[in-house]
Amino acid sequence: MSETQADAATTHPLRTLARAAGRVGRGIRWYMTTLMGDTAYATYVAHHRREHPGEEPMTERQFWRQKMDDQDRNPGARCC
């Protein structure tokens, strides 16, 4: 076996492992940002532009104020 083939044979599993670790890391980041609500405003804006073209969406400040007010009126399964 040549040096190039030997290098490819040893780095291929490492690349596969690195890619898998990267996917896991991105999945954890996605889950945490979604769970904490970090993407809520961006999701709202995307939905608003898709469903209500031509209308201006709420500002981020207005969005969070309304969200907090809604949670205060309807606490549901909130922990705090």
Side-chain angles (χ1 to χ4, degrees), residues 14-33:
L14 295 177
R15 282 187 192 154
T16 302
L17 182 61
R19 286 183 186 132
R23 280 193 306 275
V24 168
R26 285 189 299 277
I28 290 170
R29 182 176 184 275
W30 172 85
Y31 179 77
M32 292 304 292
T33 57

Side-chain angles (χ1 to χ4, degrees), residues 26-58:
R26 285 189 299 277
I28 290 170
R29 182 176 184 275
W30 172 85
Y31 179 77
M32 292 304 292
T33 57
T34 302
L35 180 69
M36 299 306 288
D38 294 350
T39 58
Y41 182 69
T43 302
Y44 156 73
V45 170
H47 167 80
H48 191 276
R49 291 209 170 120
R50 193 174 49 252
E51 298 297 322
H52 309 283
E55 290 182 25
E56 195 65 30
M58 288 186 278

Side-chain angles (χ1 to χ4, degrees), residues 69-80:
D69 289 347
D70 289 346
Q71 286 180 346
D72 287 343
R73 282 191 299 276
N74 305 305
R78 209 171 76 184
C79 70
C80 305

